[in-house]
Amino acid sequence: MACTPKREEGLPRAIARVEEAARSGARVICLPELFRYPYFCQREDAAWFDLAEPVPGPTTEAIAKVARQKHVVVIAPIFERRAPGLYHNSAVVVDATGEMAGLYRKMHIPDDPGYYEKFYFTPGDLGFRAMQTRVGRIGALICWDQWYPEAARLTALQGASVLFYPTAIGWHPDEKTAQGAVQLDAWRTVQRGHAIANGTYVAVVNRVGYERPPETGQGQGQGIDFWGSSFLCDPQGVVLAEARPDKEEILLAEVDLERIEEVRRNWPFLRDRRIDAYDGIAQRFLEKEPWRDQ
Amino acid sequence: MACTPKREEGLPRAIARVEEAARSGARVICLPELFRYPYFCQREDAAWFDLAEPVPGPTTEAIAKVARQKHVVVIAPIFERRAPGLYHNSAVVVDATGEMAGLYRKMHIPDDPGYYEKFYFTPGDLGFRAMQTRVGRIGALICWDQWYPEAARLTALQGASVLFYPTAIGWHPDEKTAQGAVQLDAWRTVQRGHAIANGTYVAVVNRVGYERPPETGQGQGQGIDFWGSSFLCDPQGVVLAEARPDKEEILLAEVDLERIEEVRRNWPFLRDRRIDAYDGIAQRFLEKEPWRDQ
């Protein structure tokens, strides 16, 4: 989706897309990160906290209604207001009954020029999670999480067959010519790598379109050219469907749970994990040489 | 390298290649996994344990000599005999002085038709490790390790600027037509993903050539067509140099330590790791739903 600058339009436009996807045969539908709004994190301005809402709240209610009506599972990102001064970048997974299957609160929060998310979002405290839905167990992660193998692994270990990544990422216009292709390919590659390493499908849902920075607030940046390129890849990292970088699109593709079984039998990575030797993962950095201590 | 079936030829051929690489300007040189021998793990036969040798031993001595003479760092895979009945698939990192910078014992051991490594190799007990050398800190991992994000992460957290993966991987001839391209691309992709996620260079060194199974021993397989395609990629996953799938080749490329600094400043993934939430990584699987326990 492109995300509209008109605040009141984001939700009805998304609902219309969900209905259209359902008509096209989708059974699980993922919306992009913070889909209701322009990417306000381009500047730091406390006024934007007005947009946040509780869970459950207006967005989850509207999503639950369409999910129930159309018998589809929906992953709906939310700007979550948990308490005054405590906000999260979240995603609800709504089951095809309209009931909430689970809530995920973005764990890894970026802060880079134009992406001032540490100002807005408290890091999630629910951990990584797969949710049981009518279409099976699926995982919800959000944007910056996509660069972290730990997030993919911990979600896959809970039995997720698909890792969904609602996303808002794009090019700084002044970097696009020189670095744009490499940045996009790195983003695609690291996520295809998660699919391969974990034997899961990976579905990435990004916004499209250029968004200028908000007029108020602090921050650098000449706006962001969101690079779209949403995709679904299989457990060997094969891209089954890929959207364009610059146009709205309903990207529809099939997940074959038998394929997960087949790939994991032949590439049994889960069998051989050295869980006795991974403790250091929970450290920030490992400067000393363990072999010198022995 | 292609690996010769004549036992006495593997080491001198490798030494000649190290000398040639050094003449071409290489400062750190990596040989493929078990480079001295044909890939005997295609069958299970205890007679092959005769090939194993201690560390230090004949191979490390020969490598140390050429490293000292040519002033190069060498990563040399070894079939290590540690005690009777206790063998490892190892790699020594020999510094440009000829001194041993470190020993790595392959941590993740495969066992698949044609790759019966669990019969031969005890899983490593030294953990994942970066070694200090004249060219900086580098990490040695081996083949099957390349599918595990944990291995790359734990080596990178020790300050490795390059992750080296000596490897012996190829196609089953009867799968090559249907699945060969996807398998090779998955292998390349997951390792490029490690480079991206960790902000390190990744150097993968594979053997080439078809090897028929040994005449003795138990096991399935019609031989292996080792797929070569050794490569070096940068911290954004950009492939800087790539060898052919079917020919011996000295692949020479440059590692720019400033590039690591630059990429990590702009993509600060290490800054935002959620080390408070990664404990589950050391579990085999996570069946229950943590949010139901709260």
Side-chain angles (χ1 to χ4, degrees), chain B residues 130-148:
Chain B
M131 289 87 158
Q132 188 63 42
T133 71
R134 185 178 291 180
V135 297
R137 287 182 76 77
I138 58 176
L141 294 156
I142 301 176
C143 203
W144 194 237
D145 293 322
Q146 60 210 174
W147 302 98
Y148 293 85

Side-chain angles (χ1 to χ4, degrees), chain A residues 137-194:
Chain A
R137 286 181 76 76
I138 58 176
L141 294 155
I142 301 175
C143 202
W144 193 236
D145 293 322
Q146 61 209 173
W147 302 98
Y148 293 85
E150 293 91 347
R153 179 69 97 202
L154 285 163
T155 308
L157 289 181
Q158 292 172 57
S161 51
V162 188
L163 308 180
F164 285 91
Y165 289 95
T167 295
I169 193 173
W171 294 294
H172 294 301
D174 60 353
E175 290 181 357
K176 184 175 177 180
T177 303
Q179 300 178 48
V182 165
Q183 291 172 347
L184 174 58
D185 191 49
W187 173 82
R188 189 191 291 114
T189 298
V190 78
Q191 293 179 95
R192 291 176 57 216
H194 300 330

Side-chain angles (χ1 to χ4, degrees), chain A residues 274 276-277, chain B residues 80 82 86-90 103-109 121-129 142 145:
Chain A
R274 289 296 305 273
D276 59 313
Chain B
E80 182 190 358
R82 189 172 175 188
L86 185 56
Y87 308 89
H88 295 286
N89 185 334
S90 301
L103 174 66
Y104 172 73
R105 293 181 176 136
K106 187 172 179 173
M107 292 286 284
H108 299 96
I109 309 294
F121 309 122
T122 298
D125 59 344
L126 297 174
F128 304 96
R129 39 178 47 189
I142 301 176
D145 293 322

Side-chain angles (χ1 to χ4, degrees), chain A residues 125-144:
Chain A
D125 60 344
L126 297 174
F128 305 96
R129 39 180 43 190
M131 288 88 159
Q132 190 63 43
T133 71
R134 183 178 291 178
V135 297
R137 286 181 76 76
I138 58 176
L141 294 155
I142 301 175
C143 202
W144 193 236

